[in-house]
Amino acid sequence: MPGGKKKTKSSSKKKNKSSRNKGGGATTTTDDRKKAIPLDEVLSQAEQAMEMSNVDAALQLFTYASGILRPRVHNNNNTPATDGNSMQQDNDNDTIEQDKKILSTILGKMGEIKASNGNVDGARSDFLDAVELLGPSTYNNNNNNSNNDMTTEVGECSSNVETAQTCESRASLHLYLGQLSCGNEALTSLNVGVQELQYAVCILERIINSSANAKSIEDDVDMNDGDDNAMMSIGNLKRFLIETK
């Protein structure tokens, strides 16, 4: 009957519509996954926003990036590695350490933005978290260290450009904390910052002056003119030390 045919068509349309809805739902989910922005792109956009003085957008992007990295860093299960997964465990540890350095840098920039916006407490919190991620100093941190003592300690510790860069990052954070603090707390933070800079200078000078490491400097600095760039780093750090003191 004609009526039956119409009903059949209507039913068919409903089924097609239903399937399209189901398909559409799946497509939306896929699109949502595609919209997830890679971390490198988020950081690139944040840096661009900083260059354009759009600090609010930069802070939002850095906050988003920190939200990606925090679970990676803090969800590390310190389970003993077996013979079967020891290499994988080492790789995971290297990745976590790298993520810690990136997150520390991000938190440092967030702290700078918050400090410039007058959010002192938020800035201090970010700087302290950033310092903690970098780990303790690799030398005996006290206010009585002479240059000779520090040079001796450099000889006892790992002397490479990466360590010097970590010292420089730690110094910058402590100097910021010193500016946001008062009294003895401020003095302590500033002293630690200065000592970290001195330690970075000692490491770079040791690398430059060591004939055994002369051949490997280009690999450490990751530049063609390794000696020149290391010397430039020492010069810049020394000038910064003079200004800080």
Side-chain angles (χ1 to χ4, degrees):
M1 294 178 64
K5 291 182 180 179
K6 288 182 179 180
K7 287 182 180 180
T8 303
K9 290 181 179 179
S10 176
S11 176
S12 175
K13 287 181 179 179
K14 287 180 180 179
K15 289 181 180 179
N16 291 337
K17 185 177 181 180
S18 176
S19 65
R20 283 197 299 271
N21 287 339
K22 290 179 181 179
T27 303
T28 301
T29 303
T30 303
D31 290 340
D32 288 341
R33 285 196 295 265
K34 289 181 179 178
K35 289 178 182 177
I37 306 175
L39 178 62
D40 289 344
E41 185 175 342
V42 174
L43 295 177
S44 176
Q45 292 179 10
E47 293 292 348
Q48 291 176 8
M50 288 282 285
E51 292 176 1
M52 298 175 64
S53 299
N54 190 351
V55 292
D56 291 335
L59 182 58
Q60 289 179 353
L61 289 165
F62 281 132
T63 301
Y64 178 81
S66 69
I68 296 175
L69 286 172
R70 284 184 191 273
R72 299 186 194 175
V73 170
H74 296 300
N75 289 348
N76 176 29
N77 296 323
N78 295 317
T79 54
T82 62
D83 293 338
N85 65 1
S86 58
M87 184 175 296
Q88 180 63 39
Q89 184 73 26
D90 290 340
N91 292 336
D92 291 342
N93 290 338
D94 291 342
T95 301
I96 291 170
E97 289 304 313
Q98 186 63 30
D99 286 343
K100 283 183 178 181
K101 291 180 180 180
I102 297 173
L103 180 56
S104 178
T105 300
I106 292 172
L107 290 174
K109 293 183 178 182
M110 289 171 59
E112 292 180 36
I113 296 173
K114 291 178 182 179
S116 66
N117 289 340
N119 184 0
V120 176
D121 290 338
R124 278 175 52 83
S125 177
D126 287 337
F127 287 139
L128 288 171
D129 288 346
V131 169
E132 183 178 357
L133 286 166
L134 291 177
S137 177
T138 50
Y139 74 96
N140 183 21
N141 191 350
N142 61 72
N143 296 331
N144 298 321
N145 278 357
S146 66
N147 287 336
N148 291 334
D149 293 336
M150 192 169 291
T151 302
T152 302
E153 289 171 2
V154 168
E156 297 173 351
C157 300
S158 176
S159 297
N160 54 57
V161 173
E162 185 177 358
T163 303
Q165 290 171 340
T166 300
C167 291
E168 186 178 356
S169 298
R170 195 183 290 111
S172 177
L173 294 168
H174 280 290
L175 291 174
Y176 270 117
L177 283 169
Q179 296 175 37
L180 298 176
S181 304
C182 300
N184 290 334
E185 186 179 356
L187 184 60
T188 299
S189 293
L190 292 172
N191 283 334
V192 172
V194 170
Q195 288 181 347
E196 289 286 354
L197 285 176
Q198 290 174 331
Y199 191 59
V201 170
C202 286
I203 291 175
L204 293 174
E205 287 180 337
R206 183 179 180 84
I207 294 173
I208 293 296
N209 296 331
S210 175
S211 58
N213 290 332
K215 186 177 181 299
S216 63
I217 279 190
E218 290 186 7
D219 295 334
D220 283 336
V221 181
D222 196 23
M223 295 181 180
N224 291 331
D225 299 324
D227 293 313
D228 293 339
N229 285 285
M231 290 298 294
M232 288 175 61
S233 297
I234 294 174
N236 292 335
L237 288 175
K238 284 184 175 179
R239 283 194 293 272
F240 189 34
L241 272 172
I242 294 172
E243 294 173 0
T244 303
K245 291 181 177 181

